[in-house]
């Protein structure tokens, strides 16, 4: 059943006119995102989205709205997130949906919702588009986790409105979208209070919620709107976003899927089911970047860096949700090193512009999404490629990279080279807060400074190998065998063991709230999502709502 | 089968005369720990410990040896860890043993082996008893993880000696004892090289192992002993440990188990199976501390802080391994606040002494073991208790604490008070590197400084509540109901969900290599240990050694 249902293809592309569950209204510097989930609007059959509960489809719209607010509404400095229902803010992720989902679907769902909550926080901190949450009714589980992603939580003080994380007592699972980590790490709720709160089905309301730091303020129901609007106006006033610039429309992504070939304007992906491989070729820009900032704005969604970011992002989401058995993503690039470099220069020269800032952030988010994807990532660097600057990040994100040393026998193309640009040195931090170069050279941070002095230099295979930028540099004689063996071996390993290994090796060094959410809280949740106490015949998640009592194996592990 | 086998009671108390698998030889400033595992000496029946592979019994001896070297051998400044077998260093944890173990046993086994590896690193860094590893034969999986815990790894360059982490390719699980984290975080192996290394069954040898930072040096087999001895002598010469002080014998721990009552000299533990609770009462000291440092040395293992540390440590290990269904540990204390404080003062006044340093570190390790135990921790603070300084840490480690406000009706005892000592401010960091007070007040680090000014003050329930040191302060009328309901509710929740929740809420703030190992790597491993690809009928761990091929569900999660 679960397997059948998950074969429905998920499309992450949407737009406000198609929203079923959210209303986006932008009115001057303050926008409002209203959650009003359509009960019979679930992504898959078999469950009703009661009480403003959500499934992946609801979250896809939220993700789209957050993205559009940044690009299409430069004038918006504050976003109010609230409920359109009379008596409920949000009951969290839909339990029936979870119950009928495969393990993989649940985990992928949580990953995406986590990324979307992180995007809310990034919009607040870096796009200066701050999120406030107006909690106008009971707010539980994933509902409260949505509130926790906002910078300021205002709750109605009306006797029925509470915040709660009832997953442990009700469902025998964890809050799946960063709730536990945000409680103690973001809001710094005292750990014993957090412990008590997370075991309370009914949640906490009123002044105690403020005292315990669970919300920022409570106001009488009658003052909620007024207070929220005032706070939002204050927040918007502190934003550095332009007050009256025109936005950039995020035009529909052109994508065609023909058999096992997925094509975008600048990306071609070929799925090889027998080998479990998706070969992803990114096409460099065909022309120099627009000559001025004005021309970049005029190009909008057609400006190559934004186009590539959006297309890669969509491809990653598509492959994650719809191609679970494709465990290896192999990246290639094609095009002109100089033109990629020129586009990177534009991203640097105009970094202070609001649109260019958004494009850089969009690339950053997309590359972070790649890092936390549970797929093996390989990069193949061959003649004709343009692993330069922003595109070099794909090779640096790879678990392993192969660079052809020299030319191909009989080939006309020059040997492949790598080229660093200023964009490799901090513009695209990973979830651990470090650039991919800094993560790579934890042993000798000084090497990053050395590499900075080599920006613009063409690094052939030997130089790239010596600089530590690639893993292996076979020549034409060995290339085919070495790459083939590497991929075949990878494909033969246990997908689960690879996922745990990659999550552990990719993020050396420091931790951040985000990295804690992805690599620690998620790992615990994945474990619990497998345990009979949650998902067995008598597990709490399984029997929820049936009137049956759950039965637990009492052994502590 | 697994369940039957795991009912054998595990005793963590041992001594060198009883060792089956290790030889401890201390000879001046350099000691040698030789692993020579007895094939038929497994803790449980059903497997042979071939190729110096290990089970929990082997590790219990290692744990004991490390502990004794610190206390009984102040003159030892360096420890050589090596193999006593001719052709193998260590093949890692025994696969058959893992295969016949329950999930809980596997996880508990890995936790203990992790703690023991951490103790090796702590001995090196803080006891100044540095560990070197002499790799004199193939060193795989847990064997290499043992090497990784050492400060310096010297490998024989002989054609057959390699280091390897073959868990992913061979067994479809992760290296379970910190290997992945130590590769990238401790040894700072470049992530793509770590990735390649962890997928190689056969491992890496010779100069490449040095270049890739997997070992520190390779030497011809004929020079191995000489080189290791020289490095050890150099390391010992840099130690600050006394050259000729007499050691302190770790005398056998007096423990009696009568029915559900476990007693030590200073701890009484009553197991209530119907409620799933272990009530642990720690008795404060009966007399003032010895009047001088010499007298402390003379008291040795009888000195109250060392006695309490060793007894608590043994109790935690016993309950973890032998009482899986007892999910809640409730701490009480009894005794004189003044006498606990006086002992803490002794630990502070003589902090520079080697023995007092060891006692403080032993308390630190024991409290850390408590923090990472997968049990709910409650503290009950009642009249007659002595939650002071070191013992207050038990309440600060608790997920939740209850302090009785006032006296009991008709009771003769004065109201309970808490008292801070200097030992609460940094002597006992958690695995995240913070004191329990600093972890508690992440929201306002300044509160820790304020509390420092209140050292020695008697804090009654109201003052302790206001200071944020306790969770709830019911009075005599509410006490019984509130505590009972709290414990009953806890006992009714899913043990797995509680484990994930507690692991997430206990460690807010920064991360260290240790916290990454416990909360992230372990969580991934626990997940993988449940996955059909590892432990299902055709899982790789299950079919290992049978000649059958494993079959994997290829879906990535």
């Amino acid at each position: 059943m679960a397997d059948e249902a998950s074969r429905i293809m998920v499309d992450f592309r949407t737009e406000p006119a198609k929203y079923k569950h959210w209303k986006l209204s932008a009115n001057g510097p303050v926008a409002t995102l209203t959650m009003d989930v359509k009960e019979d609007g679930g992504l898959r059959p078999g469950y009703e989205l009661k009480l403003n509960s959500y499934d992946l489809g609801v979250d896809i719209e939220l993700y789209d709205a957050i993205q559009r607010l940044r690009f299409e509404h430069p004038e918006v400095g504050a976003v109010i997130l609230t409920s359109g229902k009379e008596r409920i803010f949000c009951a969290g992720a839909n339990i029936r949906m979870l119950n009928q989902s495969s393990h993989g679907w649940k985990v992928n769902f949580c990953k995406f919702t986590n990324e979307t909550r992180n995007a809310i926080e990034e919009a607040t901190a870096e796009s200066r588009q701050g999120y406030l949450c107006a909690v106008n009714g009971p707010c539980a589980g994933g509902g409260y986790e949505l509130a926790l992603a906002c910078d300021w939580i205002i709750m109605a003080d009306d006797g029925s409105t509470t915040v709660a994380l009832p997953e442990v007592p009700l469902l025998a699972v964890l809050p799946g979208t960063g709730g536990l980590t945000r409680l103690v790490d973001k809001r710094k709720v005292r750990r014993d209070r957090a412990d008590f709160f997370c075991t309370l089905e009914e949640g906490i309301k009123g002044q105690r919620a403020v005292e315990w730091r669970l919300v920022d303020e409570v106001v009488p129901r009658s003052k909620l709107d007024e207070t929220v609007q005032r706070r939002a106006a204050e927040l918007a006033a502190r934003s550095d976003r332009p007050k009256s610039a025109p936005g950039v429309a995020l035009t529909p992504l052109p994508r065609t899927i023909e058999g096992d070939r997925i094509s975008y304007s600048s990306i071609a992906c070929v799925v090889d089911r027998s080998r479990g491989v998706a070969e992803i070729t990114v096409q460099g820009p065909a022309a120099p970047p627009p000559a001025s900032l004005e021309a970049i704005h005029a190009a909008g969604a057609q400006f190559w860096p934004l186009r590539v970011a959006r297309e890669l992002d969509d491809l990653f989401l598509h492959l994650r949700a719809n191609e679970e058995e494709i465990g290896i993503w192999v990246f290639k690039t094609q095009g002109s090193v100089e033109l990629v470099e020129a586009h990177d220069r534009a991203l640097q020269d105009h970094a202070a512009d609001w649109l260019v800032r958004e494009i850089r952030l969009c690339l950053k988010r997309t590359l972070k999404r790649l890092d936390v994807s549970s797929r093996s990532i390989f990069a193949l660097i061959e003649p004709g490629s343009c692993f330069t600057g922003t595109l070099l990040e794909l090779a640096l994100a790879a678990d392993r990279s192969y660079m052809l040393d020299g030319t191909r026998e009989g080939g006309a193309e020059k040997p492949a080279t790598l080229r660093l640009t200023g964009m490799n040195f901090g513009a695209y931090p990973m979830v651990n807060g470090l650039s991919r170069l800094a993560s790579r050279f934890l042993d000798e941070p000084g090497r990053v400074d050395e590499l900075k002095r080599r920006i613009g230099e063409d690094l052939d295979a030997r130089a790239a190998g010596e600089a530590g930028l690639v893993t292996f540099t076979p020549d034409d004689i060995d290339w085919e065998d070495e790459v083939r063996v590497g991929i075949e071996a990878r494909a033969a390993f246990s997908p689960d063991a690879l996922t745990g290994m990659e999550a552990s090796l990719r993020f050396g060094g420091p931790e951040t709230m985000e990295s804690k959410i992805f690599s620690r809280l998620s790992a615990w949740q994945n474990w619990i999502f497998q345990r009979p106490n949650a998902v067995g015949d008598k597990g709490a998640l399984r029997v929820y709502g049936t009137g049956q009592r759950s039965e637990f194996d009492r052994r502590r592990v």
Side-chain angles (χ1 to χ4, degrees), chain A:
Chain A
M1 172 196 71
D3 286 354
E4 280 315 305
S6 53
R7 286 220 187 88
I8 293 172
M9 200 190 91
V10 183
D11 194 338
F12 290 81
R13 298 169 306 166
T14 187
E15 54 187 67
K18 295 182 182 166
Y19 292 176
K20 293 178 189 170
H21 310 291
W22 289 89
K23 278 199 288 278
L24 166 55
S25 72
N27 186 8
V30 173
T32 302
L33 257 176
T34 307
M35 186 178 199
D36 194 359
V37 176
K38 199 175 161 196
E39 286 196 9
D40 61 356
L43 192 64
R44 304 186 301 182
Y47 52 85
E48 290 190 318
L49 295 173
K50 293 192 175 165
L51 297 173
N52 249 9
S53 64
Y54 59 86
D55 69 353
L56 181 59
V58 177
D59 233 66
I60 287 174
E61 293 181 7
L62 174 61
Y63 152 77
D64 184 74
I66 296 166
Q67 186 89 314
R68 280 181 200 282
L69 274 164
R70 305 169 82 142
F71 282 97
E72 301 187 351
H73 295 282
E75 78 286 359
V76 168
V79 182
I80 297 167
L81 206 153
T82 194
S83 161
K85 304 280 188 212
E86 197 55 32
R87 293 170 200 286
I88 181 86
F89 176 82
C90 168
N94 188 275
I95 310 300
R96 273 174 170 280
M97 174 280 293
L98 286 177
N99 246 323
Q100 73 180 55
S101 301
S102 67
H103 182 61
W105 178 276
K106 283 202 274 277
V107 170
N108 191 52
F109 167 69
C110 288
K111 187 169 283 175
F112 179 74
T113 56
N114 267 314
E115 289 168 326
T116 303
R117 309 301 167 276
N118 292 345
I120 288 178
E121 288 178 336
E122 196 213 46
T124 300
E126 304 198 42
S127 295
R128 308 294 300 274
Q129 197 167 59
Y131 279 71
L132 299 88
C133 191
V135 180
N136 54 352
C139 171
Y144 180 47
E145 290 177 299
L146 198 49
L148 283 171
C150 298
D151 213 37
W152 192 259
I153 308 174
I154 312 182
M155 180 164 70
D157 193 4
D158 64 2
S160 77
T161 297
T162 57
V163 290
L165 289 177
E167 284 86 346
V168 171
L170 278 186
L171 306 169
V173 298
L174 301 187
T177 327
L180 299 182
T181 303
R182 284 202 173 81
L183 274 188
V184 291
D185 273 302
K186 180 181 186 183
R187 300 194 62 92
K188 298 182 170 53
V189 175
R190 222 175 64 205
R191 53 167 285 206
D192 56 335
R193 289 174 164 172
D195 177 274
F196 182 70
F197 171 64
C198 294
T199 60
L200 273 190
E201 280 181 33
E202 68 275 21
I204 289 183
K205 65 186 172 186
Q207 202 51 45
R208 192 185 214 187
V210 178
E211 274 163 29
W212 283 28
R213 309 175 67 97
L214 300 168
V215 305
D216 295 292
E217 58 181 316
V218 289
V219 295
R221 183 82 182 209
S222 58
K223 304 260 168 139
L224 185 63
D225 282 354
E226 174 199 323
T227 309
V228 170
Q229 290 294 342
R230 192 173 64 239
R231 295 267 177 260
E234 289 163 8
L235 190 59
R238 291 200 301 272
S239 175
D240 66 358
R241 293 172 69 85
K243 302 284 174 259
S244 60
V248 163
L250 296 181
T251 49
L253 277 184
R255 184 182 78 188
T256 58
I257 301 184
E258 292 174 300
D260 292 331
R261 178 176 293 273
I262 308 158
S263 310
Y264 299 85
S265 78
S266 61
I267 303 170
C269 172
V270 180
V271 175
D272 181 340
R273 292 183 199 286
S274 62
R275 295 193 308 151
V277 169
E279 194 179 278
I280 301 166
T281 305
V282 181
Q283 201 67 46
S292 66
L293 183 57
E294 294 65 36
I296 289 174
H297 278 251
Q302 294 312 309
F303 182 45
W304 177 82
L306 178 53
R307 200 150 45 86
V308 158
R310 292 180 66 213
E311 293 177 1
L312 277 175
D313 201 43
D314 186 68
L315 178 63
F316 297 159
L317 290 171
H318 170 79
L319 291 174
R320 276 195 202 169
N322 302 307
E323 298 285 1
E324 287 179 289
E325 298 203 7
I326 305 305
I328 308 177
W329 293 353
V330 176
F331 284 92
K332 299 182 172 190
T333 58
Q334 256 177 11
S336 151
V337 166
E338 281 69 29
L339 291 179
V340 178
E341 188 184 45
H343 280 80
D344 270 12
R345 211 174 299 118
L347 293 179
Q348 288 195 273
D349 289 348
H350 305 297
D353 173 67
W354 76 267
L355 172 63
V356 173
R357 178 169 75 184
E358 286 309 331
I359 294 170
R360 293 167 56 123
L361 291 172
C362 187
L363 280 161
K364 178 179 98 169
R365 288 194 299 282
T366 300
L367 290 164
K368 281 162 93 166
R369 203 190 291 285
L370 175 60
D371 296 325
V372 301
S373 290
S374 57
R375 298 295 189 277
S376 298
I377 309 170
F378 280 35
L380 300 185
I381 304 162
E382 297 167 280
S385 66
C386 53
F387 283 98
T388 297
T390 296
L391 292 187
L392 176 57
E393 294 289 316
L394 296 171
L396 297 174
D399 297 306
R400 201 182 292 180
S401 56
Y402 296 84
M403 184 167 182
L404 183 74
D405 187 2
T407 56
R408 288 197 197 285
E409 206 189 309
E413 286 175 312
K414 283 188 303 182
T417 55
L418 302 183
R419 200 184 280 186
L420 293 156
T421 75
M423 296 303 284
N424 298 119
F425 296 85
Y428 306 129
M430 302 168 65
V431 290
N432 64 3
L434 298 183
S435 70
R436 283 175 195 78
L437 281 178
S439 286
R440 193 171 186 85
F441 299 115
L442 288 172
D443 59 332
E444 291 175 67
R447 289 180 73 169
V448 178
D449 298 321
E450 273 168 44
L451 287 171
K452 215 167 189 171
R453 289 193 288 274
R454 300 179 74 176
I455 287 176
E457 202 177 304
D458 275 322
L459 303 167
D460 63 13
R462 178 169 306 201
E466 276 166 11
L469 295 171
V470 294
T471 319
F472 299 114
T473 54
D475 62 17
D476 187 43
I477 298 169
D478 296 326
W479 175 263
E480 205 157 322
D481 270 355
E482 195 167 330
V483 169
R484 184 181 49 75
V485 168
I487 290 175
E488 281 176 5
R490 195 75 168 198
F493 298 144
S494 157
D496 307 318
L498 287 175
T499 293
M501 181 186 93
E502 289 156 3
S504 298
L505 297 180
R506 285 178 188 169
F507 304 103
E511 296 275 332
T512 65
M513 195 176 67
E514 271 187 53
S515 68
K516 279 170 110 162
I517 287 172
F518 283 115
S519 346
R520 164 196 185 129
L521 185 58
S522 299
W524 279 112
Q525 178 74 304
N526 291 1
W527 176 67
I528 291 166
F529 268 158
Q530 287 265 112
R531 297 287 292 157
N533 284 342
V535 298
D537 286 342
K538 307 247 166 156
L541 188 63
R542 181 73 74 189
V543 304
Y544 182 75
T546 64
Q548 281 182 271
R549 272 180 70 89
S550 49
E551 283 174 28
F552 297 137
D553 178 345
R554 300 244 58 95
R555 284 177 299 173
R556 276 289 191 125
V557 171

